[in-house]
């Protein structure tokens, strides 16, 4: 039997593969809108979008799509906008005052206030169409009060109670800090979501299916009315997989102790790469345990392999078919030379990963070198770094900078020009102060750059998030380095992911209580089966933290 069709308009750079996988997962065949005239023949239309409002609307205008989209909506045909696809329906955005929106919905978008929270807003949040506390009502396009959805944006449509509802719109509200904004909006056959349904697990797939099936309204009864659900942003738990080739040439997940991934102890295993499992299988396992994101860090080299045949690309393709949460890939995102001698800019390398299923790329050593050049040039941006070129094309939210600092102890702050902190963990000679030195090449080479200098530089270049590792805590099971995290959070506005040192669910609670970190990452404790992602989330929920519950059903 022929499958029903879903029509996608891919007009900007981004991870469109995940949306294709999501549409196919719910039983639809993807048809591409390749030119403006195709819109008139589409039974439905999905407009995804990432990045800059002005850039996206300009691309649509230059491609000749604006009027056909308006006609499609006026004709009452099903239309869905995702992320910037939602923003495009409004009159305009403060992100680009010179570029108008489609003006289907009155109002403008404004930037989140970053005086008391991280911006971009990244993570799992609500989209609630029911009054607070309601346990029964009408679900709009599959949206449910208990579900959480994945958002990543800096600009939003502020919610004003009753204004849009008076015009016939159904509004799903979300809250970030004190700011309430439009998380999703619907009217007739129009649905628009600020969140990404294709990256929101089964909750997002349910919304996508309801739209394509034409199910505007559904009765909803809270399955757990005795347990009060909590709106707002959840605590993100990220599973990280370090991937490299072992001595037999197979791609495996490994884990180091202070970045050393070779086995020690037994005669048989001595010196071999630690093999903890297969990347695709483990990523799916963590997704099913409730991981909010999955990160792959490629710590091996494929210099003799053409870029288009890099094994990590196939890992991403396979993973994105069954894992519907954000995927980050790190390792080798830099200007490079292909196996045939062709020079390949970092932007093109990143594009290969995005088209294979990645939502974000993580940049490591190259960011340190770029930061050094930034300060050497008097804090002037070159416009040529990997961070700048990728964030300009794909948006800040697509670029993560992975930082590998280590402590350098000093007796007095005056002994160094770098920013020091008074530490509870004294040095080998009783030193009370330390500074955090940035390293490159997997921690093997220290640089004359401290972590505060690095994160401020990459924020200026356009990075959207910091993955903050700790060489000193790596593999220690002693908990996260909260002093390091607080030092970094003091000097930047973008989100920070705490990494290195987790060995017990309590460590996640400690870091969320003792710092303002935006997410926390685990690796070895998950790989070795000491604790599952679900056990960490259960512990956090029992201790009062808001976490996302895994949903495995579309019903």
């Amino acid at each position: 039997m022929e499958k029903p069709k879903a029509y996608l308009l891919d007009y900007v750079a981004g991870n469109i593969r995940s949306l294709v996988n999501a549409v196919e997962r719910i039983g639809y065949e993807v048809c591409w809108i390749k030119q403006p005239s195709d819109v008139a023949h589409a039974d439905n239309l999905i407009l995804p979008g990432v990045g800059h409002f002005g850039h996206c609307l300009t691309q649509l205008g230059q491609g000749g799509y604006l009027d056909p989209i308006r006609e499609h909506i006026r004709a009452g045909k099903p239309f869905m906008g995702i992320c910037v696809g939602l923003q495009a329906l409004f009159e305009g955005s403060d992100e680009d005052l010179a570029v108008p929106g489609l003006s289907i919905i009155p109002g403008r978008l404004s930037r989140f206030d970053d005086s008391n929270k991280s911006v971009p807003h990244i993570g799992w949040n609500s989209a609630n169409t029911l009054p607070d506390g309601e346990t029964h009502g009408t679900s709009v396009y599959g949206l449910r009060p208990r579900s959480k959805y994945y958002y990543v944006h800096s600009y939003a449509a502020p919610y004003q109670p009753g204004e849009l509802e008076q015009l016939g719109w159904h509004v799903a509200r979300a809250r970030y800090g004190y700011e309430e904004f439009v998380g999703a909006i619907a009217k007739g056959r129009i649905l628009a979501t600020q969140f990404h349904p294709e990256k929101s697990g089964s909750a997002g797939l349910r919304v996508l299916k309801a739209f394509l099936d034409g199910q505007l309204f559904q009765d909803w009864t809270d399955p757990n009315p005795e347990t009060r659900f909590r709106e707002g942003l959840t605590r993100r738990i990220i599973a990280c997989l370090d991937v490299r080739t072992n001595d037999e040439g197979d791609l495996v997940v490994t884990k180091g102790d202070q970045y050393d991934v070779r086995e020690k102890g037994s005669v048989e295993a001595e010196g071999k790469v630690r093999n903890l499992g297969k990347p695709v299988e483990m990523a799916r396992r963590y997704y099913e345990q409730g991981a909010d994101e999955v990160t792959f860090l490629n710590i091996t080299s494929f210099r003799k392999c053409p870029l288009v045949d890099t094994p990590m690309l196939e890992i991403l393709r396979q993973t994105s078919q069954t894992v519907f949460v954000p995927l980050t890939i790190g390792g080798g995102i830099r200007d490079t030379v292909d196996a045939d001698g062709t020079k390949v800019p970092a932007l093109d390398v990143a594009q290969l990963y995005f088209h294979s299923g990645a939502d974000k790329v993580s940049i490591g050593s190259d960011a340190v070198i770029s930061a050094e050049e930034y300060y050497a040039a008097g804090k002037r941006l070159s416009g040529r770094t990997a961070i700048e070129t990728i964030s300009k094309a794909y948006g800040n939210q697509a670029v993560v900078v992975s930082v590998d600092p280590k402590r350098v102890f000093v007796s007095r702050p005056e002994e160094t020009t770098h920013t020091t902190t008074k530490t509870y963990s004294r040095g080998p000679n009783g030193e009370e102060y330390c500074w955090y030195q940035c390293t490159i090449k997997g921690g093997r080479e220290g640089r004359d750059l401290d972590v505060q200098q690095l994160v401020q530089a990459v924020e200026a270049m356009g990075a959207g998030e910091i993955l903050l590792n700790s060489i000193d805590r790596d593999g220690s099971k002693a908990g996260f380095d909260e002093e390091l995290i607080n030092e970094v959070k003091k000097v930047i506005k973008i989100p920070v992911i705490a990494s290195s040192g987790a060995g017990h669910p309590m460590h996640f609670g400690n870091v969320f209580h003792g710092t303002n970190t935006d997410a926390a990452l685990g690796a070895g404790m998950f790989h070795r089966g000491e604790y599952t992602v679900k056990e960490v989330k259960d512990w956090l929920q029992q201790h009062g933290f808001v976490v996302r519950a895994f949903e495995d059903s579309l019903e």
Side-chain angles (χ1 to χ4, degrees):
M1 187 173 69
E2 186 178 357
K3 290 183 179 180
K5 294 179 173 59
Y7 294 82
L8 270 61
L9 199 168
D10 180 21
Y11 63 99
V12 292
N15 174 14
I16 199 70
R17 175 175 287 273
S18 291
L19 183 56
V20 171
N21 289 338
V23 169
E24 292 177 345
R25 181 64 176 266
I26 59 176
Y28 281 76
E29 177 187 345
V30 170
C31 295
W32 296 101
I33 300 295
K34 297 181 179 180
Q35 54 191 5
S37 59
D38 292 343
V39 176
H41 304 291
D43 297 324
N44 53 59
L45 182 61
I46 299 177
L47 179 66
V50 296
H52 189 274
F53 174 89
H55 173 73
C56 292
L57 268 296
T58 299
Q59 289 283 98
L60 285 172
Q62 292 177 347
Y65 286 105
L66 292 178
D67 285 339
I69 290 172
R70 288 190 182 98
E71 287 302 318
H72 179 97
I73 293 173
R74 288 194 191 106
K77 298 167 76 174
F79 173 88
M80 183 176 188
I82 297 173
C83 196
V84 179
L86 171 145
Q87 297 181 5
L89 296 180
F90 284 83
E91 294 171 310
S93 172
D94 291 349
E95 189 171 16
D96 194 326
L97 298 175
V99 178
L102 290 165
S103 297
I104 304 296
I105 307 172
R108 298 183 59 85
L109 295 103
S110 57
R111 193 174 191 273
F112 284 119
D113 177 9
D114 63 9
S115 64
N116 60 354
K117 58 184 179 292
S118 300
V119 177
H121 167 229
I122 298 179
W124 297 76
N125 209 325
S126 307
N128 191 5
T129 58
L130 299 179
D132 293 343
E134 287 289 327
T135 59
H136 180 78
T138 300
S139 168
V140 178
Y141 281 120
L143 293 164
R144 296 181 182 175
R146 281 192 179 272
S147 294
K148 297 290 184 180
Y149 307 92
Y150 182 74
Y151 292 83
V152 51
H153 58 123
S154 298
Y155 291 79
Y159 175 68
Q160 302 296 334
E163 284 190 2
L164 292 172
E165 289 88 344
Q166 290 179 355
L167 300 175
W169 294 95
H170 301 275
V171 181
R173 311 173 311 281
R175 183 179 297 277
Y176 186 37
Y178 70 87
E179 296 178 275
E180 196 169 24
F181 64 94
V182 175
I185 188 167
K187 183 179 184 181
R189 304 308 301 274
I190 302 172
L191 170 65
T193 64
Q194 181 61 70
F195 60 83
H196 287 268
E198 75 279 15
K199 308 307 299 186
S200 298
S202 292
L205 296 181
R206 184 186 303 121
V207 172
L208 193 59
K209 188 175 189 304
F211 166 74
L212 289 172
D213 289 350
Q215 295 181 343
L216 173 57
F217 299 119
Q218 295 171 310
D219 287 335
W220 176 81
T221 300
D222 192 342
N224 300 300
E226 69 283 353
T227 305
R228 182 178 178 271
F229 59 85
R230 296 168 66 183
E231 293 190 336
L233 191 64
T234 69
R235 306 290 186 161
R236 267 188 296 158
I237 304 300
I238 300 172
C240 180
L241 296 86
D242 291 342
V243 180
R244 66 158 292 164
T245 51
N246 64 8
D247 300 295
E248 288 73 41
D250 301 317
L251 274 181
V252 299
V253 175
T254 188
K255 186 69 186 77
D257 295 319
Q258 295 189 313
Y259 290 29
D260 183 359
V261 300
R262 301 227 169 235
E263 295 282 11
K264 298 178 180 62
S266 68
V267 175
E268 295 81 6
E270 183 71 34
K272 290 187 176 181
V273 171
R274 191 172 291 118
N275 181 353
L276 298 175
K278 297 180 180 180
V280 176
E281 292 177 5
M282 294 180 72
R284 181 169 182 176
R285 182 195 314 160
Y286 297 145
Y287 167 66
E288 292 173 349
Q289 290 175 4
D292 296 314
E293 297 183 27
V294 174
T295 294
F296 292 107
L297 295 182
N298 172 18
I299 60 174
T300 191
S301 172
F302 300 105
R303 291 188 181 90
K304 296 181 182 180
C305 176
L307 276 174
V308 293
D309 295 326
T310 300
M312 286 303 299
L313 295 176
E314 185 58 28
I315 285 178
L316 279 170
R317 293 186 192 106
Q318 292 184 29
T319 302
S320 66
Q321 290 174 1
T322 57
V323 175
F324 296 99
V325 296
L327 301 175
T328 300
I329 176 71
I333 315 295
R334 59 179 179 272
D335 294 342
T336 189
V337 178
D338 210 346
D340 62 359
T342 304
K343 292 183 178 179
V344 183
L347 179 59
D348 290 354
V349 177
Q351 185 174 1
L352 282 172
Y353 284 119
F354 288 133
H355 288 179
S356 297
D359 300 282
K360 312 176 196 178
V361 293
S362 177
I363 300 173
S365 295
D366 191 68
V368 177
I369 303 303
S370 298
E372 291 174 340
E373 294 172 350
Y374 169 77
Y375 287 111
K379 298 185 179 181
R380 289 196 300 273
L381 298 173
S382 70
R384 299 187 301 272
T385 66
I387 297 171
E388 291 171 90
T389 56
I390 297 170
S391 64
K392 182 178 180 181
Y394 291 89
N396 295 32
Q397 79 289 336
V399 181
V400 180
V401 169
S402 180
V403 186
D404 297 324
K406 65 179 180 181
R407 291 181 175 225
V408 177
F409 290 97
V410 293
S411 299
R412 297 176 299 112
E414 293 77 18
E415 292 180 13
T416 178
T417 58
H418 294 289
T419 303
T420 60
T421 182
K422 191 170 184 178
T423 177
Y424 291 106
S425 304
R426 295 195 175 191
N429 299 310
E431 297 96 337
E432 294 184 354
Y433 296 89
C434 72
W435 65 279
Y436 289 96
Q437 181 186 38
C438 293
T439 68
I440 59 175
K441 301 177 181 177
R444 296 188 300 274
E445 182 180 320
R447 309 292 290 190
D448 187 23
L449 186 77
D450 63 53
V451 69
Q452 290 94 333
Q453 290 174 310
L454 174 61
V455 297
Q456 290 178 91
V458 299
E459 182 179 46
M461 293 177 201
E465 205 166 18
I466 300 294
L467 173 54
L468 186 56
N469 307 297
S470 167
I471 293 177
D472 306 287
R473 293 294 181 97
D474 184 58
S476 69
K477 301 184 185 180
F480 299 94
D481 189 338
E482 295 179 23
E483 293 176 338
L484 167 62
I485 297 163
N486 284 325
E487 287 298 311
V488 167
K489 287 292 292 183
K490 284 193 304 190
V491 297
I492 58 173
K493 299 292 188 181
I494 58 177
V496 171
I497 301 167
S499 175
S500 306
H504 188 278
M506 178 179 64
H507 293 150
F508 290 84
N510 290 346
V511 77
F512 287 131
H513 178 74
T515 76
N516 289 324
T517 191
D518 301 273
L521 177 150
M525 62 182 283
F526 298 146
H527 306 336
R528 291 185 291 265
E530 295 162 353
Y531 295 95
T532 66
V533 176
K534 184 178 185 304
E535 287 172 331
V536 169
K537 287 190 155 186
D538 287 347
W539 191 97
L540 290 171
Q541 187 171 38
Q542 290 165 10
H543 289 80
F545 295 97
V546 181
V547 295
R548 176 184 70 100
F550 176 71
E551 299 182 48
D552 60 0
S553 172
L554 299 185
E555 299 303 321

